[in-house]
Amino acid sequence: MDVYEILDELQKKARRDEALRKRLLESRKAEEPLSEFCRICRELGYELYEMELVDAGEAFYASMRRSTNGGGENSPMLEGEDDFYELFFAGLEDPAQAR
């Protein structure tokens, strides 16, 4: 299972389980939020580590840049698209999606 699949599955679980959702959202208040988030993921059986999460977003973004206009200097800036961690939480914070 790759990082995207882990986050997708975990987000679906958190939308159905309010206690898990709150626990994940609370992880953002930790001294090291990314580390705490990944620790919770591993505790839940998902082998996810900080650098894998960061690298997955950057690799995805780089792939998108290469696919637009040949990936040159004129490629559009895709702000925020490389941060899977923040996108994960954006989906959990939306009350309409949290049900």
Side-chain angles (χ1 to χ4, degrees):
M1 191 178 285
D2 68 19
V3 172
Y4 179 77
E5 292 169 325
I6 289 172
L7 293 176
D8 185 52
E9 188 173 305
L10 186 59
Q11 192 176 67
K12 287 176 184 173
K13 282 184 178 182
R15 287 179 184 157
R16 293 188 305 268
D17 181 343
E18 184 62 23
L20 175 58
R21 180 178 170 273
K22 285 181 180 180
R23 184 174 179 205
L24 292 169
L25 289 170
E26 283 293 313
S27 73
R28 294 170 62 179
K29 296 177 183 175
E31 188 173 323
E32 297 288 333
L34 185 59
S35 295
E36 179 66 12
F37 174 75
C38 289
R39 187 191 65 73
I40 293 169
C41 290
R42 291 189 302 273
E43 185 180 297
L44 295 169
Y46 299 100
E47 286 298 312
L48 184 63
Y49 296 89
E50 294 89 329
M51 286 311 298
E52 289 175 321
L53 185 52
V54 171
D55 185 55
E58 289 178 1
F60 180 76
Y61 178 75
S63 175
M64 287 182 70
R65 289 271 304 185
R66 285 190 302 274
S67 72
T68 57
N69 286 340
E73 290 299 316
N74 293 325
S75 295
M77 291 299 293
L78 303 169
E79 225 172 293
E81 294 295 323
D82 61 333
D83 196 342
F84 285 4
Y85 176 75
E86 289 299 327
L87 290 173
F88 173 84
F89 282 106
L92 284 187
E93 289 176 334
D94 182 350
Q97 292 186 23
R99 295 173 207 196

